[in-house]
Amino acid sequence: IVGGGVIGSAIAYNLAIRGIKPIVLEKDFTYKTAATPLSAGGIRCQFSNEINIRICLESAKFIKQAKEHLTVGDTIPDVNFHERGYLFLASTEQGEQTILDNCRLQVSLGAHTSILRPADIHTRFPWLRTDDVRVGSMGEQLEGWLDPYSLLTAFKAKAQSLGAVFVAGKVQSFDLSETKNSVHSVTFQNNTTNRRETIPCGLVINAAGPWAGQVNQLFGTPIVLPVQHRKRFVFVFKPANNTKVTNSPLVIDPSGVYFRPESSGHFICGVSPEEDPDVAEDDFEIDYSVFENHIWPILAERVPEFEAIRLVSAWAGHYDYNTFDQNGIVDRHPQVNNLVVATGFSGHGLQQSPAIGKAVAELVIDGRFTGLDLSDLSFSRILEGRPLLEKNIV
């Protein structure tokens, strides 16, 4: 498995519980620039596409029972799941119709989404301005946020306890057959011994997150994996006065700006940028003007108590951004027979990791999806130009 983030570790865990002891290559076990620990940690079932809803329902149920699944001996993991929900707001007729349509689909698939009219929102969250809101949708169960790093380390520790081997190393090359339809070995730089090592492999799983596109290039096939780095900022702020903003869900403003509570009276917030270019893998520079000029005015308009706030800190992280349709790619590679791809989740990898890990293990061991059918996330849709549309991209 190339990549020891939450997707790679979830795959390793699911393979290990079925008796396969994989080797996981991770270039940096500090995870300093990895996508997982730098995410906002959100979990939601409020998507517009059936497969995304099903994936997140299955994953959220696993996360809620993480202690049962991922305990190792006397070490009981706590992923700090705050089941406080997502609140999507709409202020236009089109946005209202989208929320109503999405809610019907979500509920039909088992999600606990409820429709809130402005009066309902005001009753539950009186600190939220609603005079321009037409409707909201609230995930009453199996939505909220968790500690991303805790989920990652819990998957990793459980996988290791079951025999998975995690190696600190960066892939350098793959040895393929003359026809380039199978891979025989992988050469990597071992960060512990500082030596190049080659190990044989029966199968490779590309779960390298934002780096998956670069890993794919090492196979030398003409098939491009459309995954690039995209940068997102997370800003931490604290209201200047003792706030009345209590019991807050993760709120998605009609503008796309989001915020949610953190510990010690802090909040985090962010927004997807209008211009979203590919960035260098080491570009984690923060543009504070995004907060000052765009996010803060919207926060203050939506929550009057946020007119006086103090910016405490900020960080930047990268998405494994699927430039084709911003949805995951989970499939065998179209040309390299013993290569499986699990990447391109475009900001949804953390919340989808339990179900993705299980499905990839099925694909590897059983040769097909035996549980949740992820055929909609196939590589063929990219080759055939059939994008999987998802309206609820945050």
Side-chain angles (χ1 to χ4, degrees), residues 239-259:
N241 304 307
N242 290 332
T243 181
K244 297 178 182 177
V245 180
T246 58
N247 196 35
S248 175
L250 193 156
V251 179
I252 311 292
D253 186 80
S255 64
V257 169
Y258 73 85
F259 68 88

Side-chain angles (χ1 to χ4, degrees), residues 67-124:
K67 292 179 181 179
E68 299 176 25
H69 297 296
L70 301 179
T71 291
V72 178
D74 295 330
T75 303
I76 303 173
D78 184 359
V79 299
N80 293 298
F81 179 33
H82 298 270
E83 198 173 4
R84 300 266 288 274
Y86 269 60
L87 174 61
F88 280 84
L89 302 176
S91 58
T92 65
E93 184 176 352
Q94 180 180 359
E96 177 182 19
Q97 192 59 53
T98 296
I99 278 184
L100 294 175
D101 291 344
N102 290 348
C103 182
R104 277 192 290 270
L105 176 61
Q106 292 154 13
V107 171
S108 74
L109 296 173
H112 304 271
T113 312
S114 60
I115 293 296
L116 302 182
R117 292 298 174 180
D120 304 318
I121 298 170
H122 179 73
T123 298
R124 293 179 62 171

Side-chain angles (χ1 to χ4, degrees), residues 184-202:
H184 302 311
S185 65
V186 56
T187 298
F188 65 99
Q189 183 72 23
N190 189 312
N191 295 346
T192 303
T193 64
N194 202 30
R195 295 178 180 176
R196 285 170 65 91
E197 297 182 18
T198 299
I199 52 176
C201 53

Side-chain angles (χ1 to χ4, degrees), residues 171-302:
V171 173
Q172 303 290 318
S173 63
F174 295 97
D175 178 37
L176 277 77
S177 62
E178 290 186 11
T179 57
K180 293 189 179 295
N181 66 353
S182 64
V183 57
H184 302 311
S185 65
V186 56
T187 298
F188 65 99
Q189 183 72 23
N190 189 312
N191 295 346
T192 303
T193 64
N194 202 30
R195 295 178 180 176
R196 285 170 65 91
E197 297 182 18
T198 299
I199 52 176
C201 53
L203 183 137
V204 173
I205 301 171
N206 183 356
W211 290 267
Q214 295 155 266
V215 170
N216 183 74
Q217 293 176 2
L218 297 176
F219 290 93
T221 73
I223 297 174
V224 175
L225 183 63
V227 176
Q228 298 179 353
H229 293 254
R230 290 293 188 273
K231 186 166 62 171
R232 295 292 183 269
F233 306 123
V234 179
F235 298 95
V236 183
F237 68 91
K238 188 171 186 178
N241 304 307
N242 290 332
T243 181
K244 297 178 182 177
V245 180
T246 58
N247 196 35
S248 175
L250 193 156
V251 179
I252 311 292
D253 186 80
S255 64
V257 169
Y258 73 85
F259 68 88
R260 70 160 174 83
E262 260 289 342
S263 58
S264 305
H266 293 77
F267 291 79
I268 68 170
C269 62
V271 68
S272 294
E274 293 183 7
E275 296 184 7
D276 201 13
D278 188 18
V279 296
E281 64 177 80
D282 59 352
D283 179 3
F284 290 88
E285 184 177 353
I286 301 166
D287 182 356
Y288 288 93
S289 71
V290 173
F291 178 81
E292 297 287 345
N293 300 332
H294 183 49
I295 295 177
W296 189 5
I298 291 172
L299 291 176
E301 188 73 14
R302 183 60 55 202

